[in-house]
């Protein structure tokens, strides 16, 4: 290119001046962007304020929240607690010196499960009764002595004394085995069978003792004292049989008050007026 033409073109560009192109957001778009940025900052401040308020109300701390505290031994709850779903824990206990309450609107059920989640033992405390379902039920003292035990075969009372405080006493539909039956001091002891027989058996004898009172045996039909290999001894200062039947008098008009005690072949006792010899054979009609 000739030198004159290049100088002419340079002169033309310089005379017109450089062109400037503007880059960015202008007008209503810029104002909308500023508005959205301001709204976002407001939302962030409100969210931060709400978070701080929730932390304050729920009492969130480093150790826990509210009445719940996280300790080295586990979780610690202070005050009443309500669980809407199952609670799984290895141990539940109260603070030292304070009781532990389980409260429910219907019942409280405690289940013991095996590895296959099968119920082995169940304790149900409901509004009507307290039920325990297990193979064996035991009550022991702190030293390990058995006080009460019950299973399918037997019920064992291991206490030294079993007291029945009911006004009507105790009813045993079947037999009872015990070495000693006695009443409280200054109380009477009554063994009664209203509709059946009362049988007392012991391999080494039966002792009936009333140290401070009398002994009374009453029955509807027959009272039998039987000894198969021994004897029956009535040892008392006075032995009275007031309602024994009397045989006929040996002589008319006799007012003798001395009688002989006679025994019939069937074991029945009766009185016969005494004579020079036995008069039991004369009054055998009483045995009929």
């Amino acid at each position: 290119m000739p030198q004159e033409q290049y100088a002419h073109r340079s002169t033309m560009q310089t005379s017109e001046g450089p062109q400037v192109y503007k880059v960015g957001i202008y007008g209503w778009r810029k104002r909308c962007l500023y508005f959205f940025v301001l709204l976002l900052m407001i939302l962030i401040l409100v969210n931060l304020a709400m978070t701080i308020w929730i932390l304050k109300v729920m009492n969130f701390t480093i150790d826990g929240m509210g009445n719940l505290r996280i300790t080295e031994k586990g979780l610690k709850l202070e005050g009443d607690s309500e669980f809407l779903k199952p609670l799984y824990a290895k141990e539940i206990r109260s603070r030292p010196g304070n009781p532990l309450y389980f409260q429910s609107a219907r019942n409280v059920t405690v289940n013991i499960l095996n590895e296959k989640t099968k119920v082995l033992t169940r304790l149900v405390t409901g509004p009507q009764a307290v039920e325990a379902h297990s193979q064996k039920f035991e009550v022991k003292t702190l030293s390990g002595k058995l006080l009460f035990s019950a299973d399918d075969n037997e019920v064992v009372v291991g206490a030294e004394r079993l007291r029945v405080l009911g006004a009507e006493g105790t009813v045993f539909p079947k037999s009872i085995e015990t070495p000693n039956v006695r009443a409280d001091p200054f109380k009477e002891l009554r063994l009664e069978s209203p509709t059946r027989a009362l049988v007392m058996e012991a391999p080494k004898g039966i002792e009936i003792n009333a140290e401070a009172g009398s002994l009374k045996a009453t029955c509807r039909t027959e009272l039998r004292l039987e000894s198969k290999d021994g004897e029956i001894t009535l040892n008392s200062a006075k032995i009275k049989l007031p309602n024994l039947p009397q045989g006929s008098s040996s002589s008319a008009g006799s007012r003798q008050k001395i009688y002989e005690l006679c025994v019939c072949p069937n074991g029945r006792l009766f009185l016969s007026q005494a004579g020079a010899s036995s008069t039991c054979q004369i009054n055998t009609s009483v045995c009929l």
Side-chain angles (χ1 to χ4, degrees), residues 7-199:
H8 177 69
R9 184 173 294 181
S10 299
T11 304
M12 291 178 61
Q13 292 178 356
T14 303
S15 62
E16 292 178 1
Q19 296 182 1
V20 179
Y21 295 95
K22 296 181 180 181
V23 179
I25 301 175
Y26 297 93
W28 63 273
R29 295 183 180 87
K30 183 177 181 181
R31 289 191 294 270
C32 289
L33 179 61
Y34 288 160
F35 175 75
F36 284 120
V37 172
L38 181 60
L39 181 61
L40 181 60
M41 294 179 63
I42 294 174
L43 291 177
I44 293 174
L45 293 177
V46 173
N47 190 13
L48 181 60
M50 291 294 293
T51 303
I52 296 175
W53 180 76
I54 292 174
L55 293 176
K56 184 65 176 178
V57 171
M58 299 299 294
N59 194 14
F60 276 94
T61 61
I62 299 177
D63 298 332
M65 59 170 289
N67 295 329
L68 179 63
R69 295 288 183 268
I70 301 175
T71 62
E72 297 179 355
K73 298 181 180 180
L75 298 179
K76 180 180 179 182
L77 286 174
E78 297 179 355
D80 298 337
S81 302
E82 182 178 356
F83 300 93
L84 302 179
K85 292 185 178 181
L87 172 64
Y88 299 92
K90 182 179 180 181
E91 181 182 357
I92 300 176
R93 62 180 180 178
S94 63
R95 297 177 58 185
N98 293 333
L100 176 63
Y101 295 99
F102 290 95
Q103 184 175 354
S104 174
R106 294 188 178 181
N107 56 38
V108 176
T109 303
V110 180
N111 293 332
I112 306 298
L113 310 178
N114 59 5
E115 295 79 2
K116 298 181 180 180
T117 66
K118 182 180 179 181
V119 178
L120 299 179
T121 302
R122 174 179 297 174
L123 178 63
V124 181
T125 58
Q128 301 296 332
V130 177
E131 299 179 3
H133 303 267
S134 62
Q135 296 181 356
K136 190 174 184 180
F137 179 75
E138 293 183 351
V139 178
K140 296 183 179 181
T141 61
L142 295 177
S143 60
K145 181 181 178 181
L146 180 64
L147 295 179
F148 181 83
S149 174
D151 55 15
D152 294 339
N153 299 323
E154 63 179 2
V155 175
V156 178
V157 179
E160 296 181 357
R161 178 182 298 180
L162 174 62
R163 298 185 61 187
V164 180
L165 302 179
E168 299 297 329
T170 305
V171 179
F172 297 96
K174 296 184 179 180
S175 61
I176 175 176
E177 181 178 352
T178 177
N180 188 11
V181 179
R182 64 181 180 181
D184 288 338
F186 306 104
K187 301 291 183 179
E188 65 176 9
L189 174 63
R190 178 179 298 178
L191 301 178
E192 182 179 2
S193 179
T195 58
R196 294 293 185 270
L198 178 61
V199 180

Side-chain angles (χ1 to χ4, degrees), residues 244-257:
L244 289 180
Q246 297 182 8
S248 60
S249 302
S250 59
S251 60
S254 175
R255 297 182 179 180
Q256 179 177 301
K257 296 184 179 180

Side-chain angles (χ1 to χ4, degrees), residues 185-254:
F186 306 104
K187 301 291 183 179
E188 65 176 9
L189 174 63
R190 178 179 298 178
L191 301 178
E192 182 179 2
S193 179
T195 58
R196 294 293 185 270
L198 178 61
V199 180
M200 294 185 292
E201 296 180 355
K204 294 185 178 181
I206 298 175
E207 180 180 354
I208 301 176
N209 187 10
E211 296 181 356
S214 59
L215 178 64
K216 182 178 181 182
T218 306
C219 64
R220 178 75 177 177
T221 56
E222 295 183 359
L223 177 62
R224 179 177 300 177
L225 301 177
E226 181 179 355
S227 177
K228 295 181 179 180
D229 298 330
E231 61 182 11
I232 298 176
T233 303
L234 301 178
N235 186 5
S236 176
K238 294 182 179 179
I239 298 177
K240 295 183 179 181
L241 302 173
N243 295 324
L244 289 180
Q246 297 182 8
S248 60
S249 302
S250 59
S251 60
S254 175

